PDB file of all heavy atoms in Angstrom:
ATOM      1  N   GLU A 190      -8.696   9.510  20.743  1.00 98.00           N
ATOM      2  CA  GLU A 190      -9.014   8.176  20.226  1.00 98.00           C
ATOM      3  C   GLU A 190      -7.854   7.609  19.411  1.00 98.00           C
ATOM      4  O   GLU A 190      -7.575   6.409  19.453  1.00 98.00           O
ATOM      5  CB  GLU A 190     -10.285   8.235  19.375  1.00 98.00           C
ATOM      6  CG  GLU A 190     -10.687   6.900  18.740  1.00 98.00           C
ATOM      7  CD  GLU A 190     -10.921   5.797  19.754  1.00 98.00           C
ATOM      8  OE1 GLU A 190     -11.255   6.107  20.931  1.00 98.00           O
ATOM      9  OE2 GLU A 190     -10.766   4.617  19.382  1.00 98.00           O
ATOM     10  N   LEU A 191      -7.173   8.479  18.666  1.00 98.00           N
ATOM     11  CA  LEU A 191      -6.014   8.033  17.890  1.00 98.00           C
ATOM     12  C   LEU A 191      -4.940   7.459  18.810  1.00 98.00           C
ATOM     13  O   LEU A 191      -4.408   6.366  18.549  1.00 98.00           O
ATOM     14  CB  LEU A 191      -5.441   9.198  17.081  1.00 98.00           C
ATOM     15  CG  LEU A 191      -4.088   8.932  16.397  1.00 98.00           C
ATOM     16  CD1 LEU A 191      -4.243   7.863  15.325  1.00 98.00           C
ATOM     17  CD2 LEU A 191      -3.514  10.212  15.817  1.00 98.00           C
ATOM     18  N   LEU A 192      -4.603   8.174  19.869  1.00 98.00           N
ATOM     19  CA  LEU A 192      -3.560   7.703  20.776  1.00 98.00           C
ATOM     20  C   LEU A 192      -3.959   6.377  21.430  1.00 98.00           C
ATOM     21  O   LEU A 192      -3.143   5.447  21.537  1.00 98.00           O
ATOM     22  CB  LEU A 192      -3.283   8.757  21.845  1.00 98.00           C
ATOM     23  CG  LEU A 192      -2.655  10.069  21.343  1.00 98.00           C
ATOM     24  CD1 LEU A 192      -2.565  11.075  22.479  1.00 98.00           C
ATOM     25  CD2 LEU A 192      -1.284   9.821  20.728  1.00 98.00           C
ATOM     26  N   ARG A 193      -5.207   6.273  21.847  1.00 98.00           N
ATOM     27  CA  ARG A 193      -5.679   5.017  22.438  1.00 98.00           C
ATOM     28  C   ARG A 193      -5.586   3.868  21.434  1.00 98.00           C
ATOM     29  O   ARG A 193      -5.197   2.748  21.781  1.00 98.00           O
ATOM     30  CB  ARG A 193      -7.118   5.183  22.914  1.00 98.00           C
ATOM     31  CG  ARG A 193      -7.287   6.069  24.144  1.00 98.00           C
ATOM     32  CD  ARG A 193      -8.755   6.328  24.421  1.00 98.00           C
ATOM     33  NE  ARG A 193      -8.955   7.090  25.646  1.00 98.00           N
ATOM     34  CZ  ARG A 193     -10.074   7.707  25.964  1.00 98.00           C
ATOM     35  NH1 ARG A 193     -11.124   7.638  25.144  1.00 98.00           N
ATOM     36  NH2 ARG A 193     -10.174   8.393  27.092  1.00 98.00           N
ATOM     37  N   HIS A 194      -5.946   4.183  20.203  1.00 98.00           N
ATOM     38  CA  HIS A 194      -5.936   3.153  19.163  1.00 98.00           C
ATOM     39  C   HIS A 194      -4.503   2.699  18.866  1.00 98.00           C
ATOM     40  O   HIS A 194      -4.258   1.487  18.716  1.00 98.00           O
ATOM     41  CB  HIS A 194      -6.591   3.704  17.898  1.00 98.00           C
ATOM     42  CG  HIS A 194      -6.749   2.695  16.806  1.00 98.00           C
ATOM     43  ND1 HIS A 194      -7.700   1.693  16.842  1.00 98.00           N
ATOM     44  CD2 HIS A 194      -6.069   2.523  15.635  1.00 98.00           C
ATOM     45  CE1 HIS A 194      -7.610   0.957  15.757  1.00 98.00           C
ATOM     46  NE2 HIS A 194      -6.624   1.436  15.009  1.00 98.00           N
ATOM     47  N   LEU A 195      -3.582   3.622  18.782  1.00 98.00           N
ATOM     48  CA  LEU A 195      -2.184   3.255  18.524  1.00 98.00           C
ATOM     49  C   LEU A 195      -1.629   2.383  19.645  1.00 98.00           C
ATOM     50  O   LEU A 195      -0.930   1.393  19.395  1.00 98.00           O
ATOM     51  CB  LEU A 195      -1.328   4.511  18.361  1.00 98.00           C
ATOM     52  CG  LEU A 195      -1.519   5.309  17.077  1.00 98.00           C
ATOM     53  CD1 LEU A 195      -0.700   6.599  17.122  1.00 98.00           C
ATOM     54  CD2 LEU A 195      -1.131   4.486  15.853  1.00 98.00           C
ATOM     55  N   ILE A 196      -1.957   2.741  20.880  1.00 98.00           N
ATOM     56  CA  ILE A 196      -1.500   1.943  22.020  1.00 98.00           C
ATOM     57  C   ILE A 196      -2.086   0.533  21.947  1.00 98.00           C
ATOM     58  O   ILE A 196      -1.390  -0.460  22.193  1.00 98.00           O
ATOM     59  CB  ILE A 196      -1.881   2.640  23.335  1.00 98.00           C
ATOM     60  CG1 ILE A 196      -1.056   3.927  23.500  1.00 98.00           C
ATOM     61  CG2 ILE A 196      -1.674   1.704  24.529  1.00 98.00           C
ATOM     62  CD1 ILE A 196      -1.527   4.833  24.621  1.00 98.00           C
ATOM     63  N   ALA A 197      -3.366   0.422  21.583  1.00 97.00           N
ATOM     64  CA  ALA A 197      -4.003  -0.894  21.453  1.00 97.00           C
ATOM     65  C   ALA A 197      -3.365  -1.694  20.325  1.00 97.00           C
ATOM     66  O   ALA A 197      -3.152  -2.912  20.454  1.00 97.00           O
ATOM     67  CB  ALA A 197      -5.503  -0.721  21.214  1.00 97.00           C
ATOM     68  N   CYS A 198      -3.051  -1.038  19.215  1.00 96.00           N
ATOM     69  CA  CYS A 198      -2.438  -1.731  18.081  1.00 96.00           C
ATOM     70  C   CYS A 198      -1.082  -2.323  18.447  1.00 96.00           C
ATOM     71  O   CYS A 198      -0.688  -3.372  17.927  1.00 96.00           O
ATOM     72  CB  CYS A 198      -2.274  -0.777  16.901  1.00 96.00           C
ATOM     73  SG  CYS A 198      -3.798  -0.430  15.999  1.00 96.00           S
ATOM     74  N   MET A 199      -0.378  -1.656  19.346  1.00 96.00           N
ATOM     75  CA  MET A 199       0.943  -2.148  19.748  1.00 96.00           C
ATOM     76  C   MET A 199       0.869  -3.473  20.485  1.00 96.00           C
ATOM     77  O   MET A 199       1.884  -4.164  20.641  1.00 96.00           O
ATOM     78  CB  MET A 199       1.647  -1.099  20.609  1.00 96.00           C
ATOM     79  CG  MET A 199       1.995   0.176  19.861  1.00 96.00           C
ATOM     80  SD  MET A 199       2.953   1.358  20.849  1.00 96.00           S
ATOM     81  CE  MET A 199       4.550   0.536  20.889  1.00 96.00           C
ATOM     82  N   GLU A 200      -0.330  -3.842  20.942  1.00 94.00           N
ATOM     83  CA  GLU A 200      -0.513  -5.124  21.634  1.00 94.00           C
ATOM     84  C   GLU A 200      -0.808  -6.273  20.670  1.00 94.00           C
ATOM     85  O   GLU A 200      -0.822  -7.439  21.087  1.00 94.00           O
ATOM     86  CB  GLU A 200      -1.657  -5.001  22.647  1.00 94.00           C
ATOM     87  CG  GLU A 200      -1.450  -3.924  23.709  1.00 94.00           C
ATOM     88  CD  GLU A 200      -0.228  -4.193  24.556  1.00 94.00           C
ATOM     89  OE1 GLU A 200       0.064  -5.379  24.835  1.00 94.00           O
ATOM     90  OE2 GLU A 200       0.451  -3.212  24.945  1.00 94.00           O
ATOM     91  N   LEU A 201      -1.040  -5.958  19.407  1.00 93.00           N
ATOM     92  CA  LEU A 201      -1.343  -7.006  18.433  1.00 93.00           C
ATOM     93  C   LEU A 201      -0.106  -7.852  18.151  1.00 93.00           C
ATOM     94  O   LEU A 201       1.026  -7.355  18.216  1.00 93.00           O
ATOM     95  CB  LEU A 201      -1.853  -6.396  17.123  1.00 93.00           C
ATOM     96  CG  LEU A 201      -3.198  -5.681  17.178  1.00 93.00           C
ATOM     97  CD1 LEU A 201      -3.494  -4.998  15.843  1.00 93.00           C
ATOM     98  CD2 LEU A 201      -4.315  -6.667  17.523  1.00 93.00           C
ATOM     99  N   PRO A 202      -0.303  -9.154  17.837  1.00 88.00           N
ATOM    100  CA  PRO A 202       0.855 -10.002  17.530  1.00 88.00           C
ATOM    101  C   PRO A 202       1.554  -9.553  16.249  1.00 88.00           C
ATOM    102  O   PRO A 202       0.923  -9.036  15.325  1.00 88.00           O
ATOM    103  CB  PRO A 202       0.225 -11.394  17.362  1.00 88.00           C
ATOM    104  CG  PRO A 202      -1.201 -11.132  16.993  1.00 88.00           C
ATOM    105  CD  PRO A 202      -1.582  -9.882  17.730  1.00 88.00           C
ATOM    106  N   ASP A 203       2.873  -9.752  16.213  1.00 92.00           N
ATOM    107  CA  ASP A 203       3.680  -9.437  15.030  1.00 92.00           C
ATOM    108  C   ASP A 203       3.570  -7.971  14.623  1.00 92.00           C
ATOM    109  O   ASP A 203       3.622  -7.642  13.435  1.00 92.00           O
ATOM    110  CB  ASP A 203       3.288 -10.336  13.852  1.00 92.00           C
ATOM    111  CG  ASP A 203       3.613 -11.790  14.105  1.00 92.00           C
ATOM    112  OD1 ASP A 203       4.670 -12.049  14.697  1.00 92.00           O
ATOM    113  OD2 ASP A 203       2.824 -12.659  13.717  1.00 92.00           O
ATOM    114  N   MET A 204       3.404  -7.082  15.593  1.00 95.00           N
ATOM    115  CA  MET A 204       3.235  -5.654  15.320  1.00 95.00           C
ATOM    116  C   MET A 204       4.316  -4.857  16.045  1.00 95.00           C
ATOM    117  O   MET A 204       4.557  -5.054  17.233  1.00 95.00           O
ATOM    118  CB  MET A 204       1.863  -5.180  15.783  1.00 95.00           C
ATOM    119  CG  MET A 204       1.680  -3.666  15.758  1.00 95.00           C
ATOM    120  SD  MET A 204       1.259  -3.028  14.150  1.00 95.00           S
ATOM    121  CE  MET A 204      -0.483  -3.492  14.066  1.00 95.00           C
ATOM    122  N   SER A 205       4.969  -3.971  15.312  1.00 97.00           N
ATOM    123  CA  SER A 205       5.958  -3.075  15.898  1.00 97.00           C
ATOM    124  C   SER A 205       5.650  -1.656  15.457  1.00 97.00           C
ATOM    125  O   SER A 205       5.485  -1.396  14.262  1.00 97.00           O
ATOM    126  CB  SER A 205       7.374  -3.469  15.443  1.00 97.00           C
ATOM    127  OG  SER A 205       8.320  -2.472  15.774  1.00 97.00           O
ATOM    128  N   VAL A 206       5.525  -0.727  16.425  1.00 98.00           N
ATOM    129  CA  VAL A 206       5.296   0.682  16.129  1.00 98.00           C
ATOM    130  C   VAL A 206       6.400   1.488  16.817  1.00 98.00           C
ATOM    131  O   VAL A 206       6.610   1.349  18.024  1.00 98.00           O
ATOM    132  CB  VAL A 206       3.916   1.162  16.620  1.00 98.00           C
ATOM    133  CG1 VAL A 206       3.740   2.651  16.313  1.00 98.00           C
ATOM    134  CG2 VAL A 206       2.799   0.350  15.973  1.00 98.00           C
ATOM    135  N   GLN A 207       7.099   2.311  16.045  1.00 98.00           N
ATOM    136  CA  GLN A 207       8.170   3.142  16.577  1.00 98.00           C
ATOM    137  C   GLN A 207       7.986   4.577  16.101  1.00 98.00           C
ATOM    138  O   GLN A 207       7.580   4.809  14.961  1.00 98.00           O
ATOM    139  CB  GLN A 207       9.541   2.642  16.112  1.00 98.00           C
ATOM    140  CG  GLN A 207       9.915   1.259  16.611  1.00 98.00           C
ATOM    141  CD  GLN A 207      11.223   0.785  15.987  1.00 98.00           C
ATOM    142  OE1 GLN A 207      11.221  -0.017  15.060  1.00 98.00           O
ATOM    143  NE2 GLN A 207      12.339   1.304  16.484  1.00 98.00           N
ATOM    144  N   VAL A 208       8.308   5.516  16.970  1.00 98.00           N
ATOM    145  CA  VAL A 208       8.256   6.932  16.620  1.00 98.00           C
ATOM    146  C   VAL A 208       9.676   7.443  16.393  1.00 98.00           C
ATOM    147  O   VAL A 208      10.578   7.177  17.198  1.00 98.00           O
ATOM    148  CB  VAL A 208       7.559   7.742  17.731  1.00 98.00           C
ATOM    149  CG1 VAL A 208       7.769   9.246  17.509  1.00 98.00           C
ATOM    150  CG2 VAL A 208       6.071   7.414  17.771  1.00 98.00           C
TER     151      VAL A 208
END
Side-chain angles (χ1 to χ4, degrees):
E190 178 59 25
L191 171 66
L192 293 174
R193 289 172 176 164
H194 185 74
L195 288 174
I196 291 169
C198 284
M199 294 185 73
E200 301 299 324
L201 294 174
D203 294 321
M204 170 82 77
S205 168
V206 179
Q207 296 174 258
V208 168

